[in-house]
Every structure is written in structure tokens, then in C-alpha cells.
Amino acid sequence: MKIGIVGTGNMGSKYIKKFDSLGYDAVLIDIDPDRLKPYPDRFRKYTDIDEALKNEKISHLFIATDPRSHLPLAKKALEREINVMVEKPPSISPSELEEAINFAQKKGSVLSVSEIELRSSSIRNLKLKEKIEDVEAYRLNLGRGYINPFYDLAWHDLYIMSYLFGSFKIKKVLDKGDIFDVFGETESNEFFLQVAWSHGYLRREWLLKGKEGKIILDFAQDRILYKDGTVREKDDVDKLELMIKQFIENPSFESSFRALNILKEFKKFSA
């Protein structure tokens, strides 16, 4: 089995380390040859994706480039019946993602979107024994990203929201500069989400509120604090490694359909 990665920058380099530790035969693709130079010669390296797909029998391809190039690159692999996972956001346009999903289905291949936080200890080990009526969520970072936090940071919380509680609708977004407040509802509850770059302090936390109290999901420490005082600490499972293995062993469109709903909701608030 041969695995490919397009884009060997920040996120791509993390994938490559996991491919190495998992013992996968990896092909590295990047238009910048200087980014390929630091990697050992045991990796096959290409600056042209068409050449790589022609010469190498790649079964699964991961794409970690600029969001605008995700789907055009993905379609080159899907055309060859290669299963593809793209980083988030998969696109800026919901119609582009929908067309790519349909294209993959016609070709008999699978298009997935990275949902790394679903493999976190906090989500995998969460036990909900009562109805959650309200969710209060925060993703406040110390660093700065390349696009505004509504389109970047909020993505993680929205696919988690959809995974746990079903499809959602965003009712209001307040742009406060570096801070965005997002108000919405799922099939079973309402939620408030606040996201920010370069915040004064780090906070990645969810408060799941029910009639009998609240459960705290501490994503910074990757642990769960139940209302009775019980704490479920982080386990030893690496979330990126788990996501890679699950995609290779059981590729699915489920993440793409969640991503499509997110993009449709984002479009309501785009300029």
C-alpha cells in the first residue's frame, strides 16, 4: 500500500511523521522543491501531482494545501479511483464540494475531510446519559491563523456539534474583530460558540448543559469533567494517527456531508 501527501508545509509535515511511524510507504508531493529536500531519500518526492499519480500506485491521498486548491487537486486523484482526504476547510464554495462528492461517487472513490477533533480523547470517551439542552463552546487561541477565525477555528466545533447532535443552523454571527460570536441550533439544542485568534489566554472548552448539571469538555487538556466530579483524563491514543488509520481502513463520505452543511451555513454570512 502506497500513501501520498500533497503539501509538505505545517500540517503536511505532521502527516509525514505519522506515515513514517506507522510504516507506510509514502509519496511526498509539493510544488516547492525546497520543502521536499529535508525529507530522507526513502520517500519518493515529486513537484508535480500528475507525474506522481502516473508513476506511483497510490491508494490513498491526503491533501494539505491552500483550501482553494484542495478540490482541484483531489479530483485528479479521484479520477484515478484513489481515495482522498483533504484538510479543512475543503473549499470555500459549497457547490464546488457538492460537485466533487458527486464526482467521487461516480468514480467509485471516496472523498473525506479531516475531522481530527472527533478522534480526541474528549469526544471518543464522552458518555451522554441525559439530553443536552444547551452548549456553550470556546476556542480562543494564542497564535494567529491565515484566515479569520470564523472560517477556520469554528470549523472544528461545528463538525463536532453536527457529529454529536445532528445537523445545525447558524442563526447569528457577531464579528468583533479578532473575536467572533456564533449563535445557532442543532436538531436537539441551542449553542453559543466563541472563537478568536491571538487571544489574551488559551481556552478550548465546551460546557454541555442539561437539567441535572453540566459536563465540561476540556479540549486543551483533552479531558472530560462530569457533573458528579468524575474526571476522564486523556488516553494515550494519538488523534492524527487514528484519523489516518481509520481513513485508510474504512474511507467514508460522512465527513464530506458534514463539511457541506458547514459551508452552506457559512455562505449565509459571507460578504
Side-chain angles (χ1 to χ4, degrees), residues 224-246:
I224 308 166
L225 293 79
Y226 288 100
K227 57 193 175 187
D228 64 358
T230 303
V231 178
R232 179 65 160 86
E233 297 289 354
K234 178 181 178 180
D235 58 29
D236 295 326
V237 178
D238 184 285
K239 58 187 178 183
L240 178 56
E241 186 173 303
L242 179 60
M243 184 180 73
I244 292 170
K245 290 172 64 177
Q246 288 179 337

Side-chain angles (χ1 to χ4, degrees), residues 150-151 169-174 182-183 263-271:
F150 175 49
Y151 288 99
K169 294 185 182 299
I170 297 175
K171 297 190 292 185
K172 183 170 63 173
V173 177
L174 298 180
V182 183
F183 301 83
L263 287 176
K264 287 180 178 178
E265 289 300 306
F266 277 3
K267 189 175 182 181
K268 297 177 183 177
F269 299 92
S270 61

Side-chain angles (χ1 to χ4, degrees), residues 63 65-75 86-101 111-114 146-147 151-152 155 255-256 259-264 266-267:
I63 298 177
T65 58
D66 184 284
R68 292 167 294 185
S69 65
H70 283 168
L71 296 183
L73 291 171
K75 289 178 71 175
V86 299
E87 267 300 311
K88 56 85 183 170
S91 173
I92 304 302
S93 163
S95 61
E96 184 185 29
L97 177 57
E98 192 163 24
E99 191 276 332
I101 292 171
L111 174 64
S112 292
V113 179
S114 169
Y146 63 96
I147 57 177
Y151 288 99
D152 191 329
W155 188 277
S255 58
S256 288
L260 183 58
N261 183 44
I262 295 174
L263 287 176
K264 287 180 178 178
F266 277 3
K267 189 175 182 181

Side-chain angles (χ1 to χ4, degrees), residues 81-135:
E81 300 181 5
I82 296 170
N83 296 323
V84 179
M85 173 176 281
V86 299
E87 267 300 311
K88 56 85 183 170
S91 173
I92 304 302
S93 163
S95 61
E96 184 185 29
L97 177 57
E98 192 163 24
E99 191 276 332
I101 292 171
N102 292 335
F103 182 79
Q105 291 174 327
K106 288 177 182 177
K107 290 296 179 179
S109 46
V110 173
L111 174 64
S112 292
V113 179
S114 169
E115 293 183 326
I116 191 170
E117 291 296 345
L118 294 191
R119 282 77 182 183
S120 66
S121 181
S122 301
I123 297 301
R124 285 186 294 100
N125 296 310
L126 178 62
K127 305 297 182 184
L128 295 177
K129 297 181 180 180
E130 66 170 306
K131 175 179 169 57
I132 300 300
E133 299 180 340
D134 184 69
V135 179

